[in-house]
Amino acid sequence: MLMLTLATAVAYIVESISAQNIIDKLREDSNNAIILDALNNADLVDALSGEGPFTLFSPDNEAFEALDEALVQKLAEPKWKPQLQDLLLYHVLGKKVLSTKLEEEITATTLNGEDITTKDEPLRVNEDANIDDSYVDIEGGNGIIHGILKVLIPTSVGSNVVDILEGDERFSTLVQALENGELVDFLSGDGPFTIFAPTDDAFDAIADLEISVPLADILQYHVVEANAHSSTLSDGDVETLNGESVEVLVLDDSVMVNDATVVDADIIANNGIIHAIDTVLIPDDETSEPSSSPTPPIVPTSSSMSMSYATTESPTLMSYITTNSPTEIALSMTMEPTMESTMESTMKPTKKPKSSKSKSSKKSKSSKPSKSSKSSKSSKPSKSSKQSKTTSKKSKSKKSSKTSKAEWTGKTAKKITLLDNSMSTSLDIDSMSTLPIDAKIVHHNKDHIFGRPEEQEDS
């Protein structure tokens, strides 16, 4: 009878120990107060209380206190919860690994998708996060804990959305487009930004598509000013940076953005989130409809010059992206002087242009994005890219808000240049008019660096 009672007691103790998960084990040591607080703020307590198995590399309080204060304050804000989750999941493996296995210098993938490596003598994670010899192989019912003396830093902490795109070969075309569309500085700012990022294959699929929408408008149509994790997305329209909305549809096994499918979700950066998509999003093209205004006739000048001109077709999307000067599209003109005009040109001295021509030229140049708009990270590019529309309203030239036009103001020219962003330029042709060509986030008061410490179960 005594032996049976003893066996029952031992079995009960073993069952009680195994019932404690790794979160329960963390609560037993006050030196884990900050990581418990961070896990609570990141809504990861329930996840790490699940079946597992897990291996948690747990930085102690001192390790968290050594972090940059600005980073800690940022990650304590509710809107940056995905970034806090990414940092913490970089400390978790989806399997149980004892310290004896770590000594074999293994490489393993964490729950945030990045790899860590272990090294021996001293036993550590990555290069300098030493294992705490006094807190190692702490077993719970769903995994194991190894204390470490330094917080592990994932890629997201030191990389903005542009850095992430530049480091991923799937987005080389998008990176080039962002550079030519003058959005790199803006998207390197504080954010938050959510980018629906077309892959190179998505761009290749429409390489020959003719468009008349400015490149900047297309790119801004892929950007939302929010920190939108896939878990917070729901059906509905979402306004993008260019002012138009995309339609988000959440399905059982995927997410659609207009006609595009998200093929890789939740790529975390320190100023936002990237969702890779398989189709380039094209905003509504008001310039695709034929203009009701007839092409103006060519009016002979006093020099009786006969002229012929040819306009180019709408440029392709890739021509915007791959040209060295993406905002410039050449429009050629052929000049055929008559005998009379040739005689006049040889007999009459060349007149200097009037001051009004100079003013017109200055107005045309002012439609280009200013240098300050290129370098500024705080101002929205939408304002900068639409600067030409404001300038155009003030000028004497008449044009629609999105229809590209060229202003004919001077006497003669062999080449004109159309700016796709400003949609306005000056030409030396006399007597001519215009020629159309969120999951809910709970944030605790900040008693510790990541908020109020989680209360014990018995309280």
Side-chain angles (χ1 to χ4, degrees):
M1 182 70 178
L2 179 59
M3 293 295 295
L4 180 61
T5 303
L6 182 59
T8 303
V10 170
Y12 176 78
I13 293 172
V14 171
E15 183 179 355
S16 298
I17 294 174
S18 63
Q20 289 185 310
N21 57 52
I22 58 175
I23 296 298
D24 297 325
K25 302 301 290 185
L26 287 175
R27 292 184 179 125
E28 292 177 353
D29 192 329
S30 61
N31 206 26
N32 296 323
I34 295 179
I35 190 171
L36 280 168
D37 177 47
L39 290 169
N40 186 57
N41 276 9
D43 289 340
L44 292 177
V45 170
D46 288 345
L48 295 182
S49 298
E51 291 184 5
F54 304 111
T55 295
L56 171 63
F57 297 100
S58 177
D60 59 14
N61 291 344
E62 187 175 349
F64 278 106
E65 289 167 352
L67 288 175
D68 179 72
E69 183 178 355
L71 173 63
V72 170
Q73 291 179 352
K74 176 179 179 177
L75 295 180
E77 296 181 31
K79 71 176 178 180
W80 298 111
K81 184 173 74 169
Q83 282 68 22
L84 177 58
Q85 290 176 334
D86 191 66
L87 182 144
L88 294 172
L89 292 176
Y90 188 51
H91 294 73
V92 185
L93 303 179
K95 57 185 177 181
K96 182 178 178 179
V97 182
L98 296 172
S99 61
T100 52
K101 184 66 174 178
L102 300 179
E103 293 172 356
E104 298 177 12
E105 301 191 350
I106 64 171
T107 297
T109 302
T110 68
L111 293 189
N112 89 331
E114 295 183 61
D115 289 347
I116 59 169
T117 59
T118 64
K119 297 184 179 181
D120 199 11
E121 296 182 357
L123 185 58
R124 60 195 186 276
V125 181
N126 292 344
E127 291 298 327
D128 53 1
N130 290 356
I131 298 290
D132 184 355
D133 293 336
S134 64
Y135 195 72
V136 66
D137 289 331
I138 309 300
E139 294 201 49
N142 65 343
I144 195 166
I145 302 171
H146 304 300
I148 55 176
L149 303 179
K150 188 173 183 178
V151 176
L152 305 178
I153 303 299
T155 301
S156 62
V157 170
S159 304
N160 60 48
V161 290
V162 175
D163 296 328
I164 297 292
L165 291 172
E166 289 177 341
D168 192 325
E169 61 183 10
R170 295 176 298 172
F171 304 114
S172 59
T173 304
L174 176 59
V175 169
Q176 186 176 9
L178 291 174
E179 291 172 352
N180 290 351
E182 300 172 355
L183 282 175
V184 169
D185 285 348
F186 179 76
L187 294 178
S188 298
D190 293 339
F193 306 112
T194 295
I195 301 181
F196 298 109
T199 62
D200 288 352
D201 289 342
F203 280 103
D204 290 343
I206 59 168
D208 297 327
L209 176 68
E210 292 184 357
I211 60 169
S212 50
V213 181
L215 176 60
D217 279 0
I218 295 174
L219 295 174
Q220 292 173 30
Y221 191 54
H222 292 75
V223 182
V224 176
E225 289 190 281
N227 198 35
H229 193 272
S230 62
S231 62
T232 69
L233 296 177
S234 58
D235 295 351
D237 293 340
V238 179
E239 184 176 352
T240 66
L241 198 61
N242 84 334
E244 296 185 46
S245 294
V246 293
E247 182 182 6
V248 174
L249 179 62
V250 180
L251 305 175
D252 291 338
D253 56 353
S254 63
V255 174
M256 300 287 293
V257 183
N258 289 355
D259 295 327
T261 300
V262 175
V263 294
D264 189 2
D266 303 326
I267 305 172
I268 308 296
N270 62 15
N271 66 343
I273 300 176
I274 299 167
H275 304 294
I277 56 177
D278 63 357
T279 304
V280 178
L281 307 176
I282 304 295
D284 291 337
D285 182 6
E286 296 180 6
T287 66
S288 61
E289 298 180 2
S291 173
S292 59
S293 302
T295 302
I298 296 179
V299 181
T301 65
S302 57
S303 62
S304 300
M305 298 182 69
S306 65
M307 295 172 290
S308 64
Y309 61 89
T311 61
T312 62
E313 296 180 353
S314 297
T316 64
L317 177 61
M318 294 305 292
S319 70
Y320 275 132
I321 296 172
T322 58
T323 180
N324 290 331
S325 299
T327 56
E328 296 184 0
I329 302 172
L331 179 64
S332 300
M333 298 195 64
T334 304
M335 316 299 296
E336 298 179 357
T338 63
M339 180 180 295
E340 179 184 356
S341 66
T342 302
M343 294 176 63
E344 288 181 358
S345 63
T346 56
M347 296 175 64
K348 294 182 180 180
T350 303
K351 294 183 180 180
K352 293 184 178 181
K354 297 181 181 180
S355 59
S356 61
K357 177 183 175 182
S358 176
K359 292 179 180 179
S360 174
S361 177
K362 291 180 180 179
K363 288 181 181 179
S364 173
K365 293 181 179 180
S366 67
S367 64
K368 296 181 180 180
S370 64
K371 293 182 179 179
S372 60
S373 67
K374 295 181 183 179
S375 59
S376 173
K377 295 183 180 181
S378 59
S379 59
K380 292 184 180 181
S382 56
K383 295 181 180 178
S384 174
S385 65
K386 296 177 183 178
Q387 178 182 353
S388 60
K389 297 179 182 179
T390 304
T391 305
S392 175
K393 290 181 181 179
K394 294 181 181 179
S395 66
K396 294 181 180 181
S397 63
K398 299 179 180 179
K399 68 184 187 74
S400 64
S401 61
K402 289 192 176 180
T403 302
S404 58
K405 297 182 179 180
E407 182 182 0
W408 301 67
T409 57
K411 289 188 176 182
T412 59
K414 294 183 179 180
K415 180 181 179 181
I416 64 176
T417 299
L418 172 65
L419 300 180
D420 78 294
N421 283 340
S422 64
M423 295 302 171
S424 174
T425 189
S426 295
L427 304 175
D428 274 346
I429 300 295
D430 191 24
S431 303
M432 300 297 292
S433 59
T434 57
L435 175 66
I437 34 179
D438 319 14
K440 186 175 181 182
I441 298 172
V442 179
H443 179 51
H444 298 278
N445 293 329
K446 184 174 175 297
D447 292 335
H448 287 271
I449 62 173
F450 284 105
R452 181 187 304 162
E454 186 187 24
E455 296 182 355
Q456 300 296 324
E457 290 183 335
D458 55 354
S459 61

